[in-house]
Amino acid sequence: MTRSLRAASLPALAVALLWNAAAFAQDTQTPPAPAPEPEAQSAEITVTGTRIQRDGYQAPTPLTVINSEDIAATAPANVADYVNEIPSLVGSVTPANSNLNISAGTAGVNALNLRSLGTARTLVLLDGQRSVGSTVTGLVDVNTFPQGLIKSVEIVTGGASAAYGSDAVSGVVNFILDKEYSGLKGSVEYGISTYGDAPNYRATLTAGTGFAGGRGHILLNGEIAVKEGLHGVPRDWNNKGWYLINNPAYAVVQGVGNGQPERLVVSGAGLSQATRGGVILNTALRGTQFGVGGAVSQYNFGTNRDPWQIGGDWQATQVNGFQSLDPEENRKSLFGRVSFEVAEWLSVFGQASYAKSENLGWLGVQLNQNNVTIQADNAYIPASVRAQLGGITQFTLGTSNADLPIRKNDTERELQRYVVGANGSFPLFAGTARWDVYYQKGISRTREMARDITNTARLALAQDAVFAPAGNAIGVPAGTIVCRSTLTAPTNGCVPLNRLGIGVASPQALAYVLGNPYRRQKFEEDVVAANLAFDAFDLPAGAVSVSVGGEHRREKVSGSVPTEFQSGWFVGNFLPSFGSYSVTEGYVELVVPVIKGLDLNGAVRGTDYSTSGYVTTWKAGLTFEPIPDIRFRATRSRDIRAPNLGELFTAGSTRINVLLDSSQNNASVTFAGTTRGNPLLQPERADQWGVGVVLQPTFLRGFAMSVDYYNIKINGAIGSVAAQTIVDRCNQGVQAFCTAVVRGPNAFGNNLQVFESPFNFAVQKAQGIDFESSYRTRIGTGNFTLRGMATRYIKNYFDNGIDAPTDTVGMNAPGGTPKWLYRAQASYDVDDFNITLIGRGVSDGVYDTSFIECTSGCPTSTVTNRTINDNRIKGAFYIDTSITQEFKMGGKEMQLFFAVSNLLDKDPPVVAPGPAGSAYATPATNQSIYDLLGRTFRIGARFKM
């Protein structure tokens, strides 16, 4: 249910929001200048913090509100970019940081993450209603919402499962549409970086009109958004060879370290086991490398400890520039809604939306580190090398395969969403009861494709090329280069491939070894929900308000994968997933005004899952205002998150990567990482509480400040352990991990397979403090507004019951949570002109809070406390600015805007990737928390008529 607040005017309401929101709801919206004699208007505000029809700014749970004017002033490429600047969100899934996630299927998605507790624990709603996910894990892609119609975004930064159902462990983000808009409006905009790359375009058009004397209303919206992308990493900060590597000088003698740090953060480093054209890594020919046209030279390994080296020919091995810094994106969406007031107590509506997106990003090179076997009679071995073979029968090659095309992530998504419903009000208990009911059908179809991927079996056959002997079975002249296998299987179609050099592979051979594995998936969601809110009876301090409701939801996944793409590929070994579950739940919520200034709020919800049974969630909260200047608030809740379709039913997807195997002296080992669902998972249970204070001093008109502390403890948290950790712990003898490690030849062309299925962890815990303040005053003929928001993350860690838990707060490396995130904004409005200046930043941090920093006299490094020479990562501070100018042209309202992000063109701090995984292909920064493109410009126009 929603809360409608009537105000004398929209400007007056906006001022009220500014003065009260930071104090009572952490409101981030920027109000327009108040009019001296405003015309009578009305405005509707949907309050997400509670379903009770009361003043949302007095809710015990902190609430952040962003309005459309604030979003428009900064002109983001999409609304998710703006929302992700709010400090209470960190670690969200974005196209930039999910580009490599081909197996997870999240490439191109914008999914929000509150409290750094995971996107699956943030409930994303559209007008208070659920929306079908765009991935098997149920992530709701914000890009599928009609962005030209978004009136506001409301963020509840606390547990809300009792009021809104499963998944609201870390909070709720509710996108509110302007469903009553009348008229015609639109916008066109263009953006580009200061380097002339990463251009993007966007256009929206919205029309709304009433009919039947105002009893009915029709609303239409369309949007087209295109990002041409930036393939590669053409930025100087990525060209200095920064990596986190194993120290070549580190050694352990009789279980004791030699005083050196085990790991080093260094520049001028590179791979020691692969070059672009290939390098021989064993036998007397070690160091023989192959260049353009197969030219032979000697490679300089510098100082090395495989798979890394320092110095030498490190620059020749760099491949971290073959990823997309900004993936391509092409989005189209349509939205339509019609509503009609049948009677004073009954309004009906129906709406439909369609969104399609196409995303393309570079995945990087195919890396074969020290695992390509070349036989001595290979036809492509240059004569000068052949003459040196002597008694060598074969050698091992390491290559990053310059002749293979860059691997790509090509994803298409189509989403359809249909909602029909009714709402209204009627007299009840000498008051007015408000009700709503709706049915939603959501269908999301995806095609996830990995382009230009090698087939393991065909690659092995093609690289084993020999000279055909006289009188061969295939009838080719003696000395013709053929696949060895073809001599005994003349019709196998093998085309010989030269892997010794750059620019030496034939197009025919590449066509033979390459393919485009893909899977198609379909996600369906059906929701039926009803809500009723009313005032039951009066107490001396006010009415006791009640809200009750119920919901039934069904989630389903199905898919298909051609047989030839289910195994045997370097990446993308997809399997189709099938499964479904249903949820039935009901809730009741109360607000009781005990005395003047003291309200109690409570809610309880019963939820029954078809997969895991019944669970109860609840919430209790209070607000206390002893004097008008100060308000205290507190909440205590039990929240849940049930396992999603992916965690339960994923049939399996496999990628090829590398890890350091301590059973082989920390050698770099290629492995197949397979992710499968776990149908035995149980719901997570979160116990959380929060306390806060709101200051709005009467002696400082226009100023407000709030401080809120949160504490969240999740029992039975669902998660998975990284392959590197699984192998490390197995090698230490922990049998619980060894069941996930399978050694020996497999279908993926290597000798190690690691299964990374989810399970219920023991505990996940998070603590932090939110700060917000605002001040508004009049300067000259205009209004000056200051607003600041910050979050201090105190604790965030997993405890799986086996390993020592590592607190990720203070880690600025991928997967970590910075200690501080902050955003400050100053705006000045005068007449039809606005200028806004924004400062946003992240605090300094470390690579890992469990690391021990030292350069000499170091203690012995362990799996849980490794030693490192430099554990520091710099923070960052960025300045953005925008200006808007309104004017009229031909009787139409027009607005021109110009925005600059990262005004000072600051490079992101160095975050050296390593020592294993996809470090070789990863740009040298954290793509989740730092600015990647540098200074960017955005210009556009909006009109209204």
Side-chain angles (χ1 to χ4, degrees):
M1 298 292 290
T2 61
R3 166 64 168 158
S4 297
L5 302 178
R6 301 293 174 178
S9 71
L10 185 58
L13 175 64
V15 173
L17 288 179
L18 177 68
W19 285 346
N20 292 283
F24 299 145
Q26 292 188 311
D27 184 3
T28 64
Q29 67 184 52
T30 303
E37 297 181 0
E39 298 178 1
Q41 298 182 23
S42 66
E44 181 181 276
I45 299 173
T46 303
V47 175
T48 308
T50 173
R51 291 181 183 269
I52 295 293
Q53 304 304 294
R54 296 177 72 85
D55 184 352
Y57 305 112
Q58 299 183 29
T61 305
L63 175 67
T64 297
V65 182
I66 307 165
N67 73 2
S68 58
E69 289 79 10
D70 211 14
I71 297 172
T74 58
N78 57 65
V79 70
D81 290 346
Y82 185 95
V83 175
N84 278 321
E85 289 186 5
I86 305 301
S88 56
L89 286 101
V90 61
S92 297
V93 174
T94 68
N97 64 29
S98 65
N99 184 53
L100 297 181
N101 297 342
I102 179 62
S103 297
T106 57
V109 167
N110 261 312
L112 305 177
N113 186 354
L114 278 168
R115 303 297 188 210
S116 192
L117 287 174
T119 49
R121 298 186 181 99
T122 301
L123 180 58
V124 177
L125 303 174
L126 182 62
D127 280 328
Q129 303 165 354
R130 290 181 180 262
S131 183
V132 64
S134 293
T135 71
V136 72
T137 56
L139 299 187
V140 174
D141 185 2
V142 175
N143 285 344
T144 63
F145 294 167
Q147 301 197 21
L149 264 176
I150 293 175
K151 179 174 65 174
S152 63
V153 183
E154 299 174 353
I155 303 169
V156 180
T157 51
S161 293
Y164 286 93
S166 181
D167 304 335
V169 172
S170 57
V172 177
V173 182
N174 192 12
F175 291 81
I176 310 299
L177 302 183
D178 185 359
K179 298 180 289 295
E180 303 301 322
Y181 177 76
S182 293
L184 179 68
K185 66 178 180 178
S187 68
V188 292
E189 51 196 83
Y190 171 77
I192 195 168
S193 82
T194 193
Y195 304 99
D197 51 29
N200 56 88
Y201 323 82
R202 182 167 163 239
T204 65
L205 186 64
T206 301
T209 186
F211 64 92
R215 296 174 63 189
H217 195 81
I218 296 176
L219 192 62
L220 298 171
N221 171 264
E223 178 184 8
I224 296 176
V226 176
K227 292 171 63 177
E228 293 188 5
L230 178 56
H231 300 305
V233 188
R235 298 292 187 267
D236 291 341
W237 52 262
N238 195 51
N239 300 327
K240 299 176 182 178
W242 282 104
Y243 295 99
L244 193 163
I245 70 172
N246 287 325
N247 184 1
Y250 179 73
V252 177
V253 180
Q254 296 182 344
V256 179
N258 63 351
Q260 290 283 316
E262 180 190 13
R263 291 185 174 167
L264 302 177
V265 174
V266 295
S267 61
L271 293 170
S272 62
Q273 293 186 315
T275 64
R276 300 282 290 141
V279 60
I280 299 175
L281 296 170
N282 64 351
T283 74
L285 298 175
R286 172 176 165 79
T288 301
Q289 69 168 331
F290 306 94
V292 176
V296 177
S297 62
Q298 188 65 27
Y299 183 75
N300 183 351
F301 289 96
T303 302
N304 77 285
R305 181 178 179 183
D306 293 335
W308 300 102
Q309 69 179 67
I310 304 172
D313 292 334
W314 67 272
Q315 290 176 309
T317 71
Q318 298 301 295
V319 291
N320 64 354
F322 295 100
Q323 190 187 125
S324 292
L325 201 59
D326 190 35
E328 288 182 37
E329 181 181 284
N330 191 317
R331 292 190 289 112
K332 304 179 182 68
S333 65
L334 292 171
F335 175 90
R337 188 179 195 274
V338 59
S339 59
F340 189 80
E341 182 182 340
V342 179
E344 290 186 1
W345 61 273
L346 174 63
S347 294
V348 296
F349 71 90
Q351 69 185 45
S353 58
Y354 172 82
K356 181 177 181 179
S357 66
E358 299 172 335
N359 303 88
L360 180 68
W362 284 10
L363 288 171
V365 302
Q366 174 172 318
L367 183 67
N368 291 110
Q369 291 194 72
N370 197 21
N371 64 351
V372 178
T373 299
I374 302 295
Q375 301 296 328
D377 60 348
N378 189 288
Y380 292 119
I381 297 176
S384 61
V385 177
R386 193 182 305 276
Q388 302 175 52
L389 287 174
I392 296 174
T393 59
Q394 64 180 36
F395 57 79
T396 301
L397 188 77
T399 178
S400 52
N401 297 290
D403 277 9
L404 295 179
I406 301 299
R407 298 176 298 144
K408 303 170 187 68
N409 199 335
D410 187 349
T411 305
E412 291 183 1
R413 292 187 176 86
E414 285 187 327
L415 185 142
Q416 301 171 59
R417 185 174 184 269
Y418 308 96
V419 185
V420 294
N423 56 66
S425 60
F426 59 90
L428 182 68
F429 300 132
T432 300
R434 295 157 297 278
W435 64 274
D436 73 72
V437 60
Y438 76 91
Y439 166 70
Q440 185 238 190
K441 175 68 175 182
I443 303 172
S444 182
R445 292 182 172 89
T446 67
R447 189 222 63 198
E448 301 153 21
M449 176 180 287
R451 286 196 176 275
D452 297 321
I453 308 302
T454 57
N455 180 279
T456 304
R458 292 204 296 262
L459 181 61
L461 294 178
Q463 74 187 26
D464 191 14
V466 297
F467 294 111
N472 58 79
I474 55 178
V476 298
T480 302
I481 299 178
V482 297
C483 299
R484 190 191 306 272
S485 60
T486 306
L487 296 175
T488 55
T491 60
N492 71 353
C494 180
V495 181
L497 172 68
N498 185 356
R499 300 190 75 179
L500 306 178
I502 300 174
V504 295
S506 70
Q508 296 80 6
L510 294 177
Y512 172 70
V513 301
L514 295 173
N516 302 317
Y518 70 89
R519 69 177 163 198
R520 296 188 184 276
Q521 298 196 94
K522 180 181 179 181
F523 317 116
E524 298 177 77
E525 182 182 66
D526 295 89
V527 182
V528 178
N531 302 284
L532 173 68
F534 57 91
D535 290 341
F537 56 89
D538 289 331
L539 293 176
V544 174
S545 298
V546 181
S547 179
V548 297
E551 179 180 299
H552 179 77
R553 185 170 81 256
R554 185 180 75 107
E555 306 274 358
K556 181 180 179 181
V557 59
S558 57
S560 64
V561 180
T563 303
E564 66 268 28
F565 294 142
Q566 294 187 11
S567 66
W569 298 84
F570 191 77
V571 295
N573 299 284
F574 304 118
L575 292 175
S577 298
F578 299 91
S580 66
Y581 67 86
S582 60
V583 187
T584 302
E585 50 192 336
Y587 76 93
V588 60
E589 183 177 8
L590 300 173
V591 170
V592 181
V594 181
I595 59 175
K596 182 176 177 60
L598 175 63
D599 284 357
L600 298 181
N601 171 263
V604 62
R605 176 180 291 257
T607 305
D608 186 55
Y609 290 92
S610 62
T611 52
S612 54
Y614 177 83
V615 65
T616 299
T617 56
W618 53 268
K619 179 185 74 170
L622 64 85
T623 60
F624 177 52
E625 184 180 314
I627 59 174
D629 301 58
I630 188 169
R631 177 182 300 273
F632 300 98
R633 56 190 177 196
T635 58
R636 176 75 169 84
S637 67
R638 162 65 61 85
D639 300 282
I640 62 167
R641 182 183 80 85
N644 56 50
L645 291 170
E647 291 164 335
L648 291 168
F649 305 119
T650 294
S653 58
T654 302
R655 73 192 193 284
I656 307 299
N657 212 321
V658 294
L659 55 77
L660 302 181
D661 191 349
S662 55
S663 71
Q664 302 181 47
N665 195 28
N666 281 328
S668 179
V669 175
T670 301
F671 76 98
T674 300
T675 302
R676 295 189 302 198
N678 180 0
L680 301 179
L681 291 171
Q682 297 296 308
E684 302 174 336
R685 301 178 310 279
D687 292 306
Q688 57 182 296
W689 59 276
V691 293
V693 61
V694 177
L695 303 175
Q696 189 182 10
T698 54
F699 58 82
L700 184 58
R701 181 174 175 82
F703 176 80
M705 181 177 181
S706 64
V707 181
D708 290 278
Y709 168 83
Y710 67 88
N711 185 305
I712 304 172
K713 182 180 181 181
I714 305 174
N715 294 294
I718 299 170
S720 59
V721 177
Q724 181 71 65
T725 300
I726 292 173
V727 172
D728 284 345
R729 303 307 276 172
C730 176
N731 291 340
Q732 289 181 329
V734 183
Q735 292 303 310
F737 287 102
C738 290
T739 57
V741 179
V742 179
R743 296 185 183 273
N746 55 48
F748 308 102
N750 57 66
N751 294 302
L752 178 62
Q753 188 170 11
V754 182
F755 292 91
E756 302 167 285
S757 298
F759 63 94
N760 289 98
F761 280 97
V763 171
Q764 183 174 5
K765 192 166 186 178
Q767 297 175 12
I769 304 175
D770 292 323
F771 302 85
E772 182 166 353
S773 64
S774 64
Y775 178 66
R776 180 181 176 92
T777 188
R778 199 163 185 86
I779 297 179
T781 59
N783 292 311
F784 179 68
T785 304
L786 286 173
R787 181 174 296 110
M789 290 182 289
T791 295
R792 169 59 163 97
Y793 292 91
I794 299 173
K795 184 175 293 186
N796 193 330
Y797 70 82
F798 280 108
D799 182 354
N800 59 22
I802 300 173
D803 297 312
T806 298
D807 191 354
T808 65
V809 170
M811 290 168 49
N812 286 22
T817 307
K819 284 186 178 181
W820 284 95
L821 287 170
Y822 53 91
R823 184 180 191 273
Q825 176 176 317
S827 298
Y828 183 67
D829 297 273
V830 57
D831 297 327
D832 297 324
F833 177 80
N834 170 277
I835 182 168
T836 298
L837 189 67
I838 298 169
R840 53 187 170 89
V842 55
S843 61
D844 293 347
V846 298
Y847 283 90
D848 196 306
T849 55
S850 70
F851 285 173
I852 299 172
E853 182 175 324
C854 57
T855 55
S856 62
C858 298
T860 301
S861 189
T862 67
V863 171
T864 54
N865 293 106
R866 299 188 185 276
T867 53
I868 189 171
N869 69 320
D870 185 357
N871 196 28
R872 293 164 294 177
I873 298 176
K874 291 182 179 180
F877 178 71
Y878 302 104
I879 297 175
D880 309 327
T881 188
S882 65
I883 58 174
T884 60
Q885 177 66 59
E886 297 180 6
F887 60 95
K888 289 190 176 181
M889 179 181 293
K892 302 178 181 63
E893 295 182 16
M894 303 287 293
Q895 184 184 79
L896 296 178
F897 64 88
F898 177 68
V900 184
S901 180
N902 192 357
L903 181 66
L904 302 180
D905 194 27
K906 294 193 65 173
D907 290 341
V910 169
V911 182
S918 299
Y920 65 92
T922 305
T925 192
N926 185 344
Q927 294 168 276
S928 295
I929 64 174
Y930 295 122
D931 183 282
L932 302 177
L933 296 178
R935 183 190 299 115
T936 58
F937 305 97
R938 196 159 194 84
I939 190 170
R942 306 181 183 104
F943 71 89
K944 185 183 297 185
M945 54 188 299

